[in-house]
Amino acid sequence: MSLNSKLDLRLEAAKFVIQLPGTTIENFHERAYRVELYLTGDAELPEQDSSLDELKKLVQEVKDA
């Protein structure tokens, strides 16, 4: 499990929550949010993983050089 962005984190939280006994449509969002907060802790994550964009930019710079 690699959590490089908030999007990855939310997906993992949703996967955990749907497996919990007692999870319903009504309480899904609250439970997922609580798991998300727990997993995040003090970490600061970007909304999306931008490492692919950075790699593309680097390859383009090398190509242009």
Side-chain angles (χ1 to χ4, degrees), residues 29-44:
H29 291 287
E30 180 183 349
R31 286 179 162 208
Y33 180 68
R34 286 183 177 188
V35 170
E36 180 185 339
L37 287 178
Y38 176 75
L39 291 176
T40 303
D42 293 336
E44 292 186 24

